[in-house]
């Protein structure tokens, strides 16, 4: 809820204090614009741009909602339109928004709901999206993952058709539209099908790690975001380990290069000519409290690669400051990491995520010393 509030610092803190008096309304707009689905690198992508007439409906909806909010006793309304007033208590300003507000669609906050889901049916692929048997003409199974998510939605939970959003003081605000509200367990298959925004949403709301459960375990890691060319040159799967150092009590770990044989079963480690597993990127698991991560992330733990004795030639891994969360609260079976680097005082986040699937216990003979030889 706080993600849509205004301001920074003390101003934002004041907004959060008063958050119980905020109402979030959305105008449901039936769009004239039509989207297209294109296959890019073997994956279907949706492209959609609201028309000029759609944007006029956005402005009309925001004016009507704003007037209703003020009539109901709101102190002020916030249309949420970039390039317009942040807040107002005057109907005249809302009329100005409808008549002369921004014409570009990117100025408005909107979300696509089930009303957008109609696909023309027919036997001619040049004139229809789906065949008479409900299958897509060119892409197999594009809706399967979404339908699985919908089927798991708790009964009785209301739909969330938010378009042309605005909000007002003195009521209760709805949840951020990207929040994953489904309380059921998220599976590995679901994580593998998510896009970057959905993955970050898990990182943003993810549960803190259970450090005792992590101690002396191994996980199969799967990269979720790098291009296929990267995976052909390097790797898609790897292994991450967690070891409680008996002398210092520090929970540390390292990456292991593995054979690219998938992740249904734990892949075998790659080894050097002496038979030792090839490792890289050592890290300590540290609490995130007090560290100002980018994008406002305030999770429980992160992997600090800068204190684990990595050698200079292990850059950029040695610059990692990677947030790590449990995908499902109370479970250490699936973890999700976000690739963030720290160069000097600056944080460098990239849109790369990786999931960790629990393998089992770390054997004593597989414990690897720090690269620099210290504890």
């Amino acid at each position: 809820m706080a993600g849509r509030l205004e301001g920074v610092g003390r101003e934002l803190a004041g907004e959060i204090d008063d958050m119980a008096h905020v109402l979030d309304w959305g105008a449901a707009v039936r769009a004239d614009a039509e989207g297209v689905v294109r296959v890019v690198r073997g994956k279907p992508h949706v492209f959609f741009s609201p028309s000029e007439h759609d944007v006029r409906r956005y402005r009309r909806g925001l004016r009507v909602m704003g007037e209703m909010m003020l009539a109901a006793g709101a102190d002020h309304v916030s249309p949420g339109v970039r390039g317009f007033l942040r807040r107002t208590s005057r109907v005249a300003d809302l009329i100005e928004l409808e008549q002369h507000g921004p014409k570009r669609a990117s100025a408005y906050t909107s979300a696509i709901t089930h009303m957008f889901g109609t696909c023309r049916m027919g036997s001619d692929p040049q004139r229809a999206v789906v065949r008479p048997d409900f299958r897509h003409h060119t892409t197999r199974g594009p809706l399967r993952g979404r339908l699985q998510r919908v089927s798991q939605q708790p009964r009785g939970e209301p739909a969330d058709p938010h378009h042309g959003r605005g909000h007002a003081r003195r009521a209760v605000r709805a949840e951020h539209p990207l929040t994953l509200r489904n309380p059921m367990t998220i599976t590995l298959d679901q994580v593998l099908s998510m896009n970057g925004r959905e993955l970050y949403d898990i990182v943003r709301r993810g549960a803190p790690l259970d450090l005792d459960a992590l101690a002396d375990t191994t996980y199969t890691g799967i990269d979720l975001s790098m291009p296929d060319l990267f995976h052909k040159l390097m790797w898609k799967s790897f292994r991450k380990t967690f070891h409680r150092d008996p002398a210092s009590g520090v929970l540390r770990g390292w990456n292991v290069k593995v054979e690219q044989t998938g992740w249904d079963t734990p892949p075998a480690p790659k080894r050097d000519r002496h038979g030792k597993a090839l490792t890289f990127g050592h890290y300590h698991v540290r609490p995130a409290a007090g560290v100002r991560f980018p994008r406002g992330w305030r999770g429980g733990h992160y992997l600090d690669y800068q204190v684990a004795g990595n050698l200079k030639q292990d850059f950029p891994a040695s610059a990692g400051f990677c947030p790590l969360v449990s995908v499902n609260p109370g479970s250490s079976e699936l973890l999700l990491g976000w690739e963030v680097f720290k160069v000097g005082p600056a944080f460098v986040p990239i849109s790369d995520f990786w999931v960790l699937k629990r393998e089992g216990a770390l054997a004593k003979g597989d414990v690897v010393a720090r690269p620099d030889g210290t504890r």
Side-chain angles (χ1 to χ4, degrees), residues 167-185:
H167 62 267
R169 246 343 127 189
R170 303 294 173 213
V172 181
R173 180 209 280 289
E175 196 172 11
H176 190 285
L178 289 181
T179 299
L180 298 176
R181 294 167 294 186
N182 192 340
M184 300 183 71
T185 299

Side-chain angles (χ1 to χ4, degrees), residues 3 28 51 75 137-138 143 152 177 188 192-194 211 274 279 323:
S51 69
D75 291 348
H137 272 291
T138 59
L143 299 179
Q152 295 175 343
L188 176 62
L192 294 175
S193 70
M194 291 180 180
L211 301 188
H274 301 293
T279 63

Side-chain angles (χ1 to χ4, degrees), residues 227-289:
D228 291 339
L229 177 61
F230 172 87
H231 296 145
K232 291 179 181 179
L233 295 175
M234 299 183 67
W235 39 260
K236 181 176 178 67
S237 57
F238 53 97
R239 176 172 295 156
K240 263 187 170 13
T241 64
F242 298 92
H243 170 59
R244 178 80 72 183
D245 191 290
S248 64
V250 170
L251 184 62
R252 64 181 184 91
W254 54 91
N255 292 278
V256 182
K257 295 182 180 181
V258 299
E259 301 293 343
Q260 299 301 292
T261 55
W263 44 83
D264 290 335
T265 58
K270 292 186 175 182
R271 300 184 182 276
D272 62 17
R273 57 191 180 91
H274 301 293
K276 293 183 178 180
L278 297 176
T279 63
F280 66 100
H282 289 237
Y283 46 83
H284 287 185
V285 182
R286 307 186 74 180

Side-chain angles (χ1 to χ4, degrees), residues 32-348:
D32 287 339
E34 293 188 356
V36 296
V37 179
R38 294 192 176 98
V39 177
V40 180
R41 295 183 178 179
K43 296 182 179 181
H45 293 266
V46 176
F47 298 86
F48 173 77
S49 296
S51 69
E52 182 178 341
H53 187 60
D54 295 335
V55 174
R56 287 201 297 270
R57 287 172 171 166
Y58 286 177
R59 298 202 303 267
R60 173 65 176 169
L62 289 172
R63 173 192 169 176
V64 171
M65 285 193 302
E67 289 192 30
M68 292 173 66
M69 289 172 165
L70 292 175
D75 291 348
H76 63 266
V77 297
S78 299
V81 179
R82 288 177 287 278
F84 195 73
L85 296 173
R86 285 178 58 184
R87 59 178 62 181
T88 182
S89 301
R90 297 175 355 113
V91 172
D93 291 331
L94 299 173
I95 295 174
E96 175 70 16
L97 171 60
E98 180 184 5
Q99 296 179 349
H100 305 292
K103 296 182 179 180
R104 63 190 189 281
S106 59
Y108 299 83
T109 300
S110 60
I112 295 171
T113 68
H114 62 276
M115 292 180 288
F116 183 74
T118 302
C119 295
R120 185 176 289 120
M121 178 184 290
S123 58
D124 184 357
Q126 299 301 317
R127 299 174 57 84
V129 178
V130 295
R131 305 183 322 198
D133 62 358
F134 298 96
R135 294 173 181 261
H136 194 280
H137 272 291
T138 59
T139 302
R140 297 186 61 184
L143 299 179
R144 184 178 303 164
R146 298 296 180 194
L147 290 173
Q148 182 178 4
R149 180 75 59 82
V150 170
S151 70
Q152 295 175 343
Q153 194 76 5
R155 292 184 179 182
E157 182 164 325
D160 190 21
H162 296 300
H163 280 254
R165 304 171 66 97
H167 62 267
R169 246 343 127 189
R170 303 294 173 213
V172 181
R173 180 209 280 289
E175 196 172 11
H176 190 285
L178 289 181
T179 299
L180 298 176
R181 294 167 294 186
N182 192 340
M184 300 183 71
T185 299
I186 297 175
T187 66
L188 176 62
D189 286 341
Q190 289 174 328
V191 172
L192 294 175
S193 70
M194 291 180 180
N195 60 34
R197 295 179 69 184
E198 292 170 319
L199 292 170
Y200 178 74
D201 194 66
I202 291 183
V203 172
R204 179 181 62 81
R205 67 163 182 82
L209 304 175
D210 182 343
L211 301 188
D212 291 333
L214 283 187
D216 296 295
T217 59
T218 63
Y219 284 77
T220 297
I222 308 166
D223 182 81
L224 302 174
S225 310
M226 287 294 185
D228 291 339
L229 177 61
F230 172 87
H231 296 145
K232 291 179 181 179
L233 295 175
M234 299 183 67
W235 39 260
K236 181 176 178 67
S237 57
F238 53 97
R239 176 172 295 156
K240 263 187 170 13
T241 64
F242 298 92
H243 170 59
R244 178 80 72 183
D245 191 290
S248 64
V250 170
L251 184 62
R252 64 181 184 91
W254 54 91
N255 292 278
V256 182
K257 295 182 180 181
V258 299
E259 301 293 343
Q260 299 301 292
T261 55
W263 44 83
D264 290 335
T265 58
K270 292 186 175 182
R271 300 184 182 276
D272 62 17
R273 57 191 180 91
H274 301 293
K276 293 183 178 180
L278 297 176
T279 63
F280 66 100
H282 289 237
Y283 46 83
H284 287 185
V285 182
R286 307 186 74 180
V291 182
R292 298 185 63 84
F293 279 88
R295 295 181 64 177
W297 184 75
R298 297 292 183 269
H301 303 91
Y302 70 102
L303 305 185
D304 188 346
Y305 290 76
Q306 297 191 355
V307 297
N310 290 300
L311 304 180
K312 291 183 179 180
Q313 57 264 35
D314 205 1
F315 186 85
S318 58
F321 254 57
C322 300
L324 185 64
V325 301
S326 292
V327 173
N328 297 297
S331 172
S332 298
E333 294 301 311
L334 280 182
L335 310 178
L336 186 66
W338 176 31
E339 205 69 33
V340 175
F341 298 100
K342 190 169 186 290
V343 182
F347 284 93
V348 183

